[in-house]
Amino acid sequence: MAEMPLIESPDTKRKDRLPPGQRLVSKLPVLHEGRAPELAFEQWTLRLFGLVDRERTLTHGEFLELPRARLHADLHCVTGWSRLDNRFEGVPGRELKPLIAIAEQARAVMVHCAGGYTANLLLEDFFAEDVMFALIMNGEPVPAAHGHPVRLIAPRLYLWKSAKWVNGIEFMDQDRPGFWESRGYHLRGDPWQEERYSGR
Ligand SMILES: Nc1nc2c(c(=O)[nH]1)N[C@H]1C(S)=C(S)[C@@H](COP(=O)(O)O)O[C@H]1N2
Ligand SMILES: [Mo]
């Protein structure tokens, strides 16, 4: 098998890697609303819907046939901690593109999760080169508390966008607030701009 390509999240190449107002932690905390769902990978599916020509639901077997890559990325939580040099393995978000015809008017996605959590991303943020559906995190299958079996990683935005237990991507004609965004978090959440709260 050919060696898996390595994606370096661009922020890992900065001289100063700590965004304003953040402090470094060495261990990744566990943070989420409600209880972590326990999901068997064999039953897991990924639904691609909304502004697509035909809705499609990938089985775990179909998902495992998609091209994989490794990812090196820094993670920044809006509550103020950052963890550098995280390692992931999984399917880059861009690999979904050939599977569906996305309508021209699509501008954003809503990421859906088991348990009902949602997070919105602009289409260009979702298809950034360093966005990944992660299966492996720091050498092990993504643990239940961190999103088993599949967790989205969007390292260029605050970590609330990196949805755990992801099971659906909805393509939308405009950006709409997800779970935290409708509770006061910023619609986009760029840590370098300190887009923490919307001020609404
Ligand atoms: N499904 C789901 N994903 C989620 C959350 C959640 O409550 N549910 N919380 C988000 C928030 S606010 C943070 S800070 C990160 C924490 O990820 P970690 O527990 O792996 O450190 O997960 C994000 N993804
Ligand atoms: Mo968070």
Side-chain angles (χ1 to χ4, degrees):
M1 207 173 106
E3 222 210 304
M4 239 181 276
L6 172 65
I7 300 165
E8 296 273 4
S9 182
D11 290 346
T12 61
K13 302 208 177 97
R14 298 173 75 113
K15 216 159 101 224
D16 178 10
R17 288 164 68 179
L18 199 60
Q22 295 294 107
R23 63 183 186 281
L24 288 177
V25 296
S26 55
K27 209 174 154 262
L28 192 65
V30 171
L31 276 181
H32 51 259
E33 290 298 300
R35 281 183 45 197
E38 291 200 9
L39 303 167
F41 196 14
E42 293 69 32
Q43 265 93 60
W44 176 87
T45 57
L46 183 67
R47 180 176 171 221
L48 309 174
F49 65 109
L51 290 176
V52 288
D53 62 339
R54 235 182 312 133
E55 179 175 325
R56 182 157 180 192
T57 298
L58 298 176
T59 64
H60 102 286
E62 288 168 331
F63 183 80
L64 286 178
E65 276 166 28
L66 299 176
R68 303 236 203 130
R70 294 173 297 146
L71 170 68
H72 172 214
D74 298 341
L75 302 178
H76 310 292
C77 176
V78 70
T79 60
W81 53 265
S82 292
R83 187 173 190 276
L84 306 184
D85 296 321
N86 302 277
R87 304 273 167 183
F88 300 95
E89 211 183 287
V91 175
R94 291 176 163 193
E95 298 296 345
L96 298 185
K97 268 191 183 174
L99 306 178
I100 38 172
I102 302 165
E104 233 172 77
Q105 62 275 31
R107 294 286 172 273
V109 301
M110 189 68 79
V111 183
H112 292 263
C113 304
Y117 185 83
T118 52
N120 58 295
L121 285 91
L122 291 173
L123 205 60
E124 60 263 38
D125 288 333
F126 178 70
F127 284 128
E129 63 181 2
D130 55 351
V131 167
M132 173 176 278
F133 290 89
L135 293 160
I136 309 274
M137 183 171 126
N138 299 322
E140 289 173 65
V142 172
H146 291 289
H148 181 84
V150 181
R151 190 243 175 97
L152 191 77
I153 294 291
R156 282 190 250 184
L157 299 171
Y158 281 123
L159 198 57
W160 84 76
K161 300 286 188 183
S162 290
K164 309 196 266 194
W165 315 293
V166 54
N167 63 10
I169 303 294
E170 177 186 2
F171 294 86
M172 312 188 292
D173 62 357
Q174 57 172 42
D175 208 6
R176 279 198 276 122
F179 180 87
W180 280 119
E181 296 82 2
S182 57
R183 288 165 177 79
Y185 283 20
H186 196 278
L187 208 53
R188 179 145 184 265
D190 178 351
W192 296 97
Q193 310 292 327
E194 280 211 87
E195 292 174 342
R196 295 176 192 273
Y197 310 105
S198 68
R200 272 177 295 175

